[in-house]
Amino acid sequence: EKQQFDLANWYLRAGLGEFKAIFDVLPADLRTLGLHTVWPRSEFCREIGADPLISILKKLRDVNVHTHLGRAKPRVSRAIHITPVGDVEKSSYALYFDQVSINQLGRQQTRQQTVDPDHVDWFNRQSNHWPVQRLLIEATYRSSVPLRNFLVVNWRKHPAH
């Protein structure tokens, strides 16, 4: 079981890394479109920055890569599986984040990036109910909507593409 847990945390690190990579490559992608100076001042960028799930997952990736903090533990999770004979409730293990603290996340703080205590509180409450994979899927969706809206609004205004 210890080896399975270690493997799960490796996958957790990879998932967090992939999520954070969206924001790491975004400036280069926007530069290609001629929108790199518009994005940081946009309401859409602020919307993403104000989302507690997105902001904490980005911080957790940094903490997880550089320390042993920001880990997850397996817990039993129940799901309905639709089968030819009917709906069946099955139990399986899913990873749930350990509770995080301002102190853990604050290790990676800079003057421009601070940790909002309300974001941490919200994240700890939500991550108690949703497994890691659900949080990552939700955060990816939440970040894609404002980014899509930004591109729709600005695509025609800035014809550098």
Side-chain angles (χ1 to χ4, degrees):
E1 187 176 314
K2 171 79 170 120
Q3 288 176 326
Q4 288 176 338
F5 178 62
D6 287 345
L7 182 60
N9 271 301
W10 294 345
Y11 288 143
L12 167 65
R13 178 178 278 183
L16 287 170
E18 286 297 312
F19 176 71
K20 179 81 177 351
I22 294 168
F23 303 97
D24 293 343
V25 300
L26 185 60
D29 291 342
L30 292 175
R31 181 176 299 284
T32 303
L33 299 173
L35 299 173
H36 61 287
T37 59
V38 181
W39 172 253
R41 300 185 318 266
S42 73
E43 65 193 74
F44 306 105
C45 181
R46 286 189 297 279
E47 182 180 342
I48 287 175
D51 188 292
L53 180 57
I54 296 168
S55 69
I56 297 300
L57 284 178
K58 287 167 58 178
K59 294 257 186 227
L60 269 176
R61 181 269 175 195
D62 294 340
V63 168
N64 189 281
V65 165
H66 300 294
T67 71
H68 66 281
L69 304 171
R71 301 296 180 150
K73 290 190 175 80
R75 247 176 37 196
V76 173
S77 179
R78 290 186 172 72
I80 300 296
H81 294 258
I82 299 171
T83 68
V85 295
D87 297 352
V88 178
E89 185 175 305
K90 291 186 179 182
S91 296
S92 62
Y93 282 102
L95 282 181
Y96 287 80
F97 277 111
D98 293 337
Q99 297 287 285
V100 297
S101 71
I102 293 279
N103 292 339
Q104 289 172 333
L105 299 175
R107 295 169 198 247
Q108 303 298 321
Q109 277 190 156
T110 64
R111 285 185 192 170
Q112 294 85 12
Q113 297 177 326
T114 59
V115 179
D116 184 334
D118 292 335
H119 285 192
V120 174
D121 290 341
W122 179 91
F123 181 83
N124 283 330
R125 286 193 319 275
Q126 190 63 61
S127 65
N128 192 44
H129 298 287
W130 285 357
V132 169
Q133 69 268 24
R134 175 70 175 104
L135 291 167
L136 286 168
I137 290 167
E138 180 68 18
T140 302
Y141 174 74
R142 287 185 186 189
S143 57
S144 68
V145 171
L147 181 56
R148 178 209 167 273
N149 292 341
F150 170 79
L151 291 172
V152 167
V153 167
N154 289 284
W155 186 258
R156 292 188 186 109
K157 287 183 187 177
H158 303 276
H161 43 84

